[in-house]
């Protein structure tokens, strides 16, 4: 990537500005409406920073799964299968999008504003909880990328509907998931566990809930990785070469 340094840095700046537009949208909205369902600007920014960081880390290192349909269509997966390394490891190494660090820089800027302005009384336990939120979120988005790739074994083409859960999850994660209603919250808790790494720990951080175990729900969200990998293995067993 650094063979074309100007292109690399311009793309990083582009990624930064793209996510910065989302930040500006939130800023102007809160200039007009000072709270959203009782949550302040700083608190919503904390949720946004957690979700944006998690999505960006997953996309940087697992972009190969997002583009996996191409490997199926052109027969490249045949070569992957005959190599001695693990299949997931090879797909990860196939495409690493370091230009996405532009979004990560944006998330760091948002964290720098949100952490002192979200009304959280920080201590060691809450700092640990924030770290677990980032880990849990990254694992959830990684799992979704793997699941999307697993579906390609049966459809041969990437399903655009999966963008609802990957890019859509990032968009909805700008705010606490509880603001979207009970039905959406149930989906985000038991189907795709966004709320386990973002909403419930967040409630403890801002003092709306007092149960400290909520900070460890991101670890439960990491269990979502297991069924997604099982779907991947099922797809591998049913894979048939394109013959190209």
């Amino acid at each position: 990537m650094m063979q074309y340094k100007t292109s690399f840095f311009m793309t990083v700046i582009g990624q930064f500005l793209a996510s910065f537009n989302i930040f500006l949208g939130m800023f102007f909205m809160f200039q007009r409406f000072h709270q959203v369902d009782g949550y302040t600007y700083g608190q919503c920014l904390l949720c946004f920073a957690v979700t944006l960081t998690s999505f960006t880390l997953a996309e940087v290192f697992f972009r190969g799964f997002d583009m996996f349909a191409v490997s199926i269509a052109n027969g490249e997966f045949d070569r992957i299968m005959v190599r001695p390394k693990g299949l997931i490891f090879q797909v990860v190494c196939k495409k690493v999008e370091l230009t996405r660090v532009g979004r990560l820089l944006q998330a760091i800027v948002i964290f720098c504003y949100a952490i002192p302005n979200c009304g959280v009384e920080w201590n060691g336990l809450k700092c640990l909880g924030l770290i677990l939120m980032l880990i849990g979120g990254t694992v959830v988005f990684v799992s979704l990328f793997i699941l999307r790739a697993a579906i390609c074994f049966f459809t041969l083409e990437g399903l655009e509907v999966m963008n609802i859960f990957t890019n859509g999850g990032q968009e909805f994660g700008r705010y606490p998931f509880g603001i979207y209603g009970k039905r959406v919250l149930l989906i985000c808790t038991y189907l795709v566990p966004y709320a386990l790494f973002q909403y419930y720990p967040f409630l403890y951080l801002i003092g709306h809930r007092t149960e400290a175990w909520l900070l460890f729900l991101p670890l439960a969200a990491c269990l979502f990785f297991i069924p997604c990998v099982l779907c991947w293995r099922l797809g591998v067993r049913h894979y048939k070469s394109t013959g190209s």
Side-chain angles (χ1 to χ4, degrees):
M1 294 180 184
M2 296 306 295
Q3 292 298 314
Y4 304 94
K5 296 180 176 61
T6 302
S7 175
F8 175 81
F9 288 114
M10 291 294 289
T11 306
V12 169
I13 293 172
Q15 291 292 328
F16 178 89
L17 294 177
S19 56
F20 188 70
N21 286 335
I22 301 174
F23 169 77
L24 287 179
M26 295 179 65
F27 174 77
F28 290 125
M29 189 189 72
F30 274 95
Q31 292 296 306
R32 179 65 178 85
F33 307 100
H34 303 295
Q35 291 186 346
V36 174
D37 200 25
Y39 300 107
T40 66
Y41 180 48
Q43 291 169 348
C44 289
L45 282 182
L46 182 64
C47 289
F48 178 42
V50 168
T51 306
L52 180 61
T53 302
S54 301
F55 179 79
T56 301
L57 290 175
E59 195 174 34
V60 166
F61 296 104
F62 284 79
R63 180 69 171 171
F65 287 97
D66 194 34
M67 305 175 64
F68 187 70
V70 177
S71 298
I72 293 290
N74 63 16
E76 186 177 357
F77 191 68
D78 293 1
R79 290 185 294 173
I80 292 177
M81 293 192 69
V82 299
R83 293 170 180 164
K85 294 294 183 181
L87 299 180
I88 290 180
F89 175 77
Q90 291 188 64
V91 176
V92 169
C93 294
K94 179 177 178 291
K95 186 71 173 179
V96 177
E97 285 278 6
L98 293 180
T99 55
R100 305 292 178 177
V101 298
R103 290 182 186 174
L104 189 60
L105 294 175
Q106 177 64 46
I108 293 173
V109 171
I110 296 174
F111 268 125
C112 290
Y113 178 86
I115 287 177
N117 292 283
C118 61
V120 176
E121 297 180 2
W122 295 99
N123 54 37
L125 180 61
K126 291 184 177 180
C127 290
L128 174 62
L130 182 60
I131 294 173
L132 292 178
M133 291 168 71
L134 296 174
I135 294 174
T138 303
V139 172
V140 167
F141 282 113
V142 165
S143 302
L144 287 170
F145 282 133
I146 294 176
L147 180 60
R148 178 174 183 167
I151 294 174
C152 293
F153 286 114
F154 304 97
T155 63
L156 302 182
E157 293 286 342
L159 295 181
E160 292 299 321
V161 70
M162 287 300 297
N163 288 331
I164 297 175
F165 300 102
T166 52
N167 296 337
Q170 176 205 359
E171 292 293 324
F172 283 115
R174 288 184 287 174
Y175 304 98
F177 281 101
I179 73 170
Y180 300 113
K182 292 183 178 180
R183 293 182 179 179
V184 174
L185 185 59
L186 285 174
I187 293 173
C188 294
T189 301
Y190 298 105
L191 182 60
V192 183
Y194 302 118
L196 294 186
F197 75 81
Q198 190 241 52
Y199 180 62
Y200 297 113
F202 168 73
L203 292 180
Y204 179 82
L205 291 180
I206 64 176
H208 286 195
R209 296 282 293 270
T210 58
E211 302 92 333
W213 57 267
L214 292 173
L215 291 178
F216 298 94
L217 282 180
L219 297 178
C222 293
L223 297 176
F224 183 61
F225 183 77
I226 297 175
C228 292
V229 170
L230 291 178
C231 289
W232 165 266
R233 292 183 176 179
L234 178 65
V236 170
R237 286 199 297 269
H238 287 77
Y239 171 70
K240 295 181 180 180
S241 173
T242 60
S244 60

